[in-house]
Amino acid sequence: MASYVRTKMNPKGFHKQQIKYYIILFPIVLFMLLPIVYIFITAFKPIDELFLFPPKFWVKNPTLSNFRKLFEAGTGEIPVSRYVFNSILVTGVVLFLSIVFSSMAGFALSKMKFAGKKFWFEVNQVALMFVTASVAIPKYLVVEKLGLIDTIWAHIFTLLAMPVGLFLVKQFIDQIPDALIEAAYIDGANDFTIYWKIVLPIIKPALATVAILSFQTVWNGTETSSIYINKEELKTLAFYLNTLNASTGNTIAGQGMAAAASLIMFVPNIIIFIFFQSKIMNTVAHSGIK
């Protein structure tokens, strides 16, 4: 009887009783998809359709001219491909190092015993209180003292610290039974073996969340290019598109380029979120966030 009820409540395949849920969810999903669809459609609208009144949701004559104008509107001798390369390089390096540092620090704060462990975790908690603008001057002074102004490392080092990522990973590792770690020590495993073969496979959902947060921060950020970089060839795509929108966004021709730029910045974010969104739910469920 219990098996029958469980099958009826949560069938493996499609069941006619699920139709009522589809009827309720479909309008909601459609409504939530409209802004995303509009971003894609607007990027391919020609100028006459962008300023059409009354405005139309769908595009009649799609064109790639907005993208062509965007990539032709370079800054002096610097091609747009250079900004793209800088963004991909910085995002990839920061993404990798953020995952490594967050997972290692989270493992140490959660399962290892050392003096000052509680203090350093409280420091991380305090860091969550500060917004980026409030620490801009101290960060600039540190970067200047290290001689990183106008270098690619200024992009990377200033974005590595992610207090929220460390918090999520640490709270996730707390859910791993201490008995499992102790059993590994008894079998002769060292700290790195336990971290690599036991902890990392278990905390994949938390690492996926850190990856998404890190990617969005770096890919969409313009602060490092604005504050630490004066050389145009070292600036990122987000900064270039932001300045391009500021200079041409209020013109008629600039509206098309602004729409294309918005799509370019949006697509990587939605792709990475689609792939890892289920991992985010698992992380929130296991990290103590209510």
Side-chain angles (χ1 to χ4, degrees):
M1 180 65 181
S3 177
Y4 170 77
V5 173
R6 184 165 56 251
T7 303
K8 185 176 181 180
M9 293 293 293
N10 190 22
K12 293 183 179 180
F14 177 78
H15 193 275
K16 62 181 181 180
Q17 292 187 355
Q18 295 176 336
I19 295 178
K20 58 179 177 292
Y21 300 114
Y22 286 105
I23 294 175
I24 297 173
L25 292 175
F26 181 75
I28 298 176
V29 172
L30 183 62
F31 180 77
M32 297 180 67
L33 283 176
L34 287 178
I36 299 176
V37 175
Y38 183 76
I39 292 176
F40 278 87
I41 291 176
T42 304
F44 295 96
K45 283 185 177 181
I47 295 299
D48 57 339
E49 293 189 38
L50 284 172
F51 290 91
L52 190 66
F53 186 84
K56 302 294 184 181
F57 185 85
W58 300 106
V59 56
K60 294 182 179 179
N61 301 303
T63 179
L64 294 175
S65 61
N66 295 331
F67 295 92
R68 186 183 69 252
K69 293 177 182 178
L70 176 65
F71 282 91
E72 289 176 351
T75 304
E77 298 179 354
I78 308 299
V80 178
S81 57
R82 177 66 184 186
Y83 299 104
V84 175
F85 172 79
N86 292 339
S87 288
I88 294 176
L89 175 63
V90 172
T91 302
V93 173
V94 173
L95 193 64
F96 173 76
L97 294 179
S98 295
I99 292 175
V100 172
F101 292 156
S102 296
S103 59
M104 285 186 171
F107 172 59
L109 291 173
S110 177
K111 297 302 181 183
M112 300 182 70
K113 297 180 180 180
F114 57 92
K117 182 175 76 170
K118 184 177 179 181
F119 169 77
W120 289 115
F121 184 67
E122 293 298 330
V123 169
N124 184 78
Q125 299 301 88
V126 172
L128 291 171
M129 301 169 55
F130 295 93
V131 297
T132 304
S134 65
V135 295
I137 295 177
K139 286 173 67 175
Y140 180 84
L141 294 176
V142 172
V143 171
E144 185 183 29
K145 291 296 183 180
L146 293 175
L148 300 178
I149 298 295
D150 282 340
T151 66
I152 199 69
W153 299 109
H155 288 296
I156 297 172
F157 288 153
T158 56
L159 297 172
L160 284 181
M162 184 177 293
V164 65
L166 175 57
F167 171 78
L168 291 173
V169 172
K170 190 265 181 186
Q171 296 298 96
F172 203 96
I173 297 177
D174 284 345
Q175 309 301 318
I176 301 176
D178 293 334
L180 180 62
I181 305 297
E182 294 172 359
Y185 280 125
I186 293 174
D187 289 340
N190 56 29
D191 293 331
F192 182 78
T193 301
I194 294 174
Y195 162 78
W196 184 258
K197 294 187 176 182
I198 298 177
V199 175
L200 281 186
I202 295 177
I203 64 171
K204 285 181 179 180
L207 298 182
T209 304
V210 173
I212 292 175
L213 295 175
S214 179
F215 178 87
Q216 291 179 337
T217 300
V218 181
W219 182 259
N220 300 321
T222 61
E223 293 81 8
T224 55
S225 294
S226 302
I227 300 175
Y228 311 113
I229 305 297
N230 298 313
K231 297 179 180 179
E232 195 67 32
E233 63 270 19
L234 294 178
K235 296 182 183 293
T236 60
L237 179 65
F239 177 84
Y240 166 71
L241 296 180
N242 186 66
T243 55
L244 186 66
N245 289 340
S247 61
T248 63
N250 293 326
T251 64
I252 294 178
Q255 293 296 322
M257 288 189 290
S262 299
L263 180 60
I264 291 174
M265 297 304 299
F266 173 76
V267 167
N269 289 281
I270 192 64
I271 290 176
I272 193 172
F273 182 80
I274 289 174
F275 277 102
F276 295 118
Q277 58 88 19
S278 62
K279 303 295 185 182
I280 294 180
M281 300 301 140
N282 291 335
T283 304
V284 173
H286 290 85
S287 59
I289 297 178
K290 304 296 183 184

